[in-house]
Amino acid sequence: MKRNVALVLSSGGARGFAHIGAIKVLEREGYNITSVAGTSMGALIGGIYASGRLKQFEDWVDTLDRMEVLKLTDISVSTKGLIRGVRIIDRIKKIVPDMNIEDLPIPYCAVATDLLKGAEEVFTSGRLFTAIRASISIPTVFQPFRKGNVYYVDGGLVNPVPINRVARSGNDMLAVVNVNSPQPHEPSHEEEHHEDSKLMARIKKLQSKLGYQVPKNKRDEIGIFNLTNRSISIMLNRITDMSLANHHIDIMIEVSRESHGTYDFYKAAEIIREGEKAAEKALGMNITG
């Protein structure tokens, strides 16, 4: 008999590809995912899973290299953020047709932040990709998503691990995938560290223009852009710790925040495998590969 699981997927940028690996292991081991809630990348992967198109999405992201990621990055020097986000959403829609959340096969919830009110926005109805685009708007990176007079940014600012938003039934288990775990990273093989890729070089150049990199001393990398993002990261981690401590979690799947960078989207296959290993570890299995 399959065990029902309510699944919660954290924010985490490119590390969120690990959610795919975790889901694959849960299903393989006989767990029946009956609902899913996610923030930021967790909202993206969760929404695609709820639509029934996760395998097709995985097949596509497995093909992404640095240049493909660059082509999908509609970069614009703007005080609102570096990336418009239109190109990537339009490309995903070719794999996952947009639909109403209430028409998905399983209950789904995405969390975003109402920037002007500073309040959590919970999407459980309406267009799927409206919810996803609102939730993934990392401040200073993705431009805020505007709907009417409301500006939405990353849900991680208020609820990076939305345990309290996932739909529950009386006999289900609670499974959480946190890809921002403070645990040390233990690489299984030598990993690449090519920071001078064309994509990263271009992004860094634009980040420097946007944040003016104050101070200019190369020995001090705390410019305005990095200061903002590091501050957000600290806040996200503290909120996550409190959320995890306040809930009973049956299956805790953890991926180290040191494992991959936030923008390592061209390493999808590697990160997905990281999620598989984390899930196998959480379930007490012998890890292979």
Side-chain angles (χ1 to χ4, degrees):
M1 180 179 296
K2 287 195 172 185
R3 293 152 289 184
N4 289 340
V5 168
L7 181 63
V8 179
L9 306 177
S10 76
S11 59
R15 286 190 305 279
F17 281 138
H19 295 318
I20 298 174
I23 289 170
K24 290 168 64 176
V25 171
L26 287 171
E27 290 193 324
R28 187 185 73 204
E29 296 305 311
Y31 291 92
N32 178 41
I33 299 172
T34 56
S35 62
V36 60
T39 292
S40 196
M41 193 66 170
L44 173 63
I45 301 301
I48 293 172
Y49 173 75
S51 75
R53 304 285 291 181
L54 190 62
K55 180 62 170 65
Q56 293 86 341
F57 179 76
E58 180 187 1
D59 291 342
W60 172 61
V61 298
D62 275 350
T63 68
L64 295 179
D65 57 20
R66 292 185 180 91
M67 289 308 300
E68 287 298 319
V69 172
L70 182 58
K71 291 176 184 177
L72 292 168
T73 306
D74 44 1
I75 295 176
S76 173
V77 178
S78 166
T79 55
K80 294 180 180 179
L82 293 175
I83 300 171
R84 293 177 60 235
V86 174
R87 196 176 297 170
I88 180 63
I89 291 295
D90 285 347
R91 181 62 182 84
I92 296 174
K93 283 182 179 179
K94 294 181 179 180
I95 304 169
V96 184
D98 198 4
M99 61 188 74
N100 286 327
I101 294 173
E102 51 267 41
D103 294 331
L104 294 171
I106 63 173
Y108 164 76
C109 170
V111 172
T113 302
D114 182 328
L115 181 62
L116 300 182
K117 292 182 179 179
E120 179 181 13
E121 183 75 19
V122 180
F123 292 87
T124 56
S125 62
R127 304 305 291 176
L128 174 62
F129 280 98
T130 294
I132 290 173
R133 179 61 184 86
S135 186
I136 66 173
S137 303
I138 303 172
T140 72
V141 178
F142 277 92
Q143 294 177 12
F145 177 73
R146 182 177 179 178
K147 184 180 179 183
N149 294 323
V150 182
Y151 289 87
Y152 293 109
V153 293
D154 197 308
L157 295 179
V158 290
N159 199 349
V161 187
I163 298 173
N164 61 327
R165 298 305 182 186
V166 70
R168 301 294 302 275
S169 60
N171 61 347
D172 65 13
M173 302 175 70
L174 176 62
V176 175
V177 185
N178 177 26
V179 300
N180 299 304
S181 172
Q183 67 182 13
H185 175 48
E186 299 177 3
S188 57
H189 55 82
E190 187 175 356
E191 298 177 347
E192 294 182 320
H193 294 286
H194 298 305
E195 292 295 329
D196 58 346
S197 71
K198 291 182 179 180
L199 172 62
M200 291 306 300
R202 188 176 179 187
I203 289 177
K204 283 188 174 183
K205 183 178 180 180
L206 287 169
Q207 288 176 350
S208 179
K209 288 182 179 179
L210 183 64
Y212 303 109
Q213 283 302 112
V214 179
K216 297 295 184 180
N217 191 326
K218 292 183 179 180
R219 293 175 296 178
D220 190 346
E221 297 180 353
I222 306 295
I224 293 175
F225 186 91
N226 285 334
L227 176 62
T228 300
N229 282 278
R230 292 182 189 185
S231 299
I232 291 172
S233 179
I234 291 171
M235 178 183 67
L236 180 151
N237 293 332
R238 292 295 178 265
I239 297 174
T240 296
D241 290 343
M242 290 187 290
S243 181
L244 295 177
N246 289 330
H247 293 86
H248 172 73
I249 300 168
D250 299 295
I251 302 172
M252 185 70 237
I253 301 172
E254 297 182 285
V255 173
S256 173
R257 57 178 174 247
E258 299 175 0
S259 60
H260 292 87
T262 302
Y263 311 114
D264 287 347
F265 291 101
Y266 58 91
K267 296 182 179 180
E270 185 178 315
I271 299 172
I272 290 169
R273 180 58 189 142
E274 195 76 31
E276 292 176 353
K277 291 190 294 183
E280 290 169 353
K281 180 179 180 181
L283 296 175
M285 301 167 58
N286 291 323
I287 301 175
T288 59

